């Protein structure tokens, strides 16, 4: 199906104006857009919930043909075009790799829906602070141990409670508690101050304890017989 739309074009008579021609904006699509706002919303929704390749396959089933690279470009635009959202007040803040080992971005996700609600082009900057200020309903932010994130959240609002996330909390527990215990258990036992007694000393010790000498003699006899039989075989 093909829709043909007519939009008005207006000319500016002001010679100092840089723009000569103005086009009437559409209510359902942005300028130079290849999809409507509703389709763009569907693409963004699927791209944030799964990988770009899976999102492309899912959208194709709904009649929206878009390549994997185009889905990735939509995600990159989110750093500058975060939609206005409302949360219950509990979010998580962390960084993710835009290009692993080279460039990293920042993402804010809702704790209850487990979906990203904002993406920023940089991990540290005033964009995150401005976004937090624009959402006063946020009460708790889960983050890693970065002091930079802590400063950004504190600058946005002193009322926000900062909580360490589970992953970094377990990492700190492993480093400060588990590893020392493993090191302690793996250490070799120190050499005893007194060496183990010899066999004769052990027999004398047992004899001193009041055991029967006859029993000790039988034990020695059996042991000698066993050694003799082993040597003969």
């Amino acid at each position: 199906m093909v829709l043909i739309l007519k939009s008005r074009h207006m000319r500016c008579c002001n010679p100092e104006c840089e723009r000569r021609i103005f086009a009437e904006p559409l209510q359902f699509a942005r300028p130079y857009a290849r999809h409507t706002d509703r389709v763009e919303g569907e693409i963004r929704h699927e791209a944030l919930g799964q990988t770009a390749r899976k999102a492309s396959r899912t959208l194709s089933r709904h009649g929206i043909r878009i390549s994997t690279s185009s889905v990735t470009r939509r995600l990159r635009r989110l750093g500058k075009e975060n939609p206005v959202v409302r949360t219950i007040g509990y979010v998580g803040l962390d960084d993710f790799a835009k290009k692993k080992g080279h460039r990293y971005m920042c993402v804010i996700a809702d704790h209850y829906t487990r979906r990203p609600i904002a993406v920023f082009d940089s991990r540290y900057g005033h964009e995150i602070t401005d976004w937090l200020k624009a959402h006063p309903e946020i009460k708790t932010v889960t983050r890693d141990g970065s002091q930079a994130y802590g400063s950004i959240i504190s600058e946005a609002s002193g009322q926000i409670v900062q909580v360490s996330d589970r992953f970094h909390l377990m990492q700190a527990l492993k480093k400060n508690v588990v590893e020392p215990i493993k090191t302690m258990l793996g250490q070799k036992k120190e050499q005893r101050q007194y060496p183990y007694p010899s066999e004769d000393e052990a027999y004398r010790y047992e004899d001193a304890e009041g055991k029967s000498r006859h029993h000790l003699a039988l034990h020695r006899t059996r042991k000698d017989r066993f050694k003799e039989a082993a040597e003969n075989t």
Side-chain angles (χ1 to χ4, degrees), residues 20 32 36 43 46 49 82 93 111 119 134 168 177 180 182 210:
R20 296 295 182 183
Y32 305 102
T36 62
I43 296 173
E46 296 294 339
N82 286 315
L93 185 149
H111 266 296
V119 180
H168 291 90
V177 178
K182 290 175 63 177

Side-chain angles (χ1 to χ4, degrees), residues 50-68:
Q50 52 192 333
T51 62
R53 182 174 299 178
K54 290 183 179 180
S56 177
R57 294 176 181 174
T58 304
L59 291 168
S60 64
R61 299 192 188 107
H62 299 303
I64 303 174
R65 293 184 296 178
I66 184 172
S67 63
T68 303

Side-chain angles (χ1 to χ4, degrees), residues 129-174:
T129 304
D130 296 341
W131 190 90
L132 292 173
K133 289 180 179 179
H135 295 78
E137 71 276 6
I138 294 179
K139 304 175 183 178
T140 304
V141 176
T142 303
R143 63 174 181 86
D144 57 11
S146 173
Q147 295 296 330
Y149 280 149
S151 302
I152 290 173
I153 298 171
S154 300
E155 183 180 353
S157 174
Q159 303 298 326
I160 297 178
V161 179
Q162 302 183 33
V163 181
S164 177
D165 58 32
R166 185 185 303 174
F167 174 78
H168 291 90
L169 187 63
M170 295 304 297
Q171 288 291 101
L173 180 65
K174 180 181 178 181

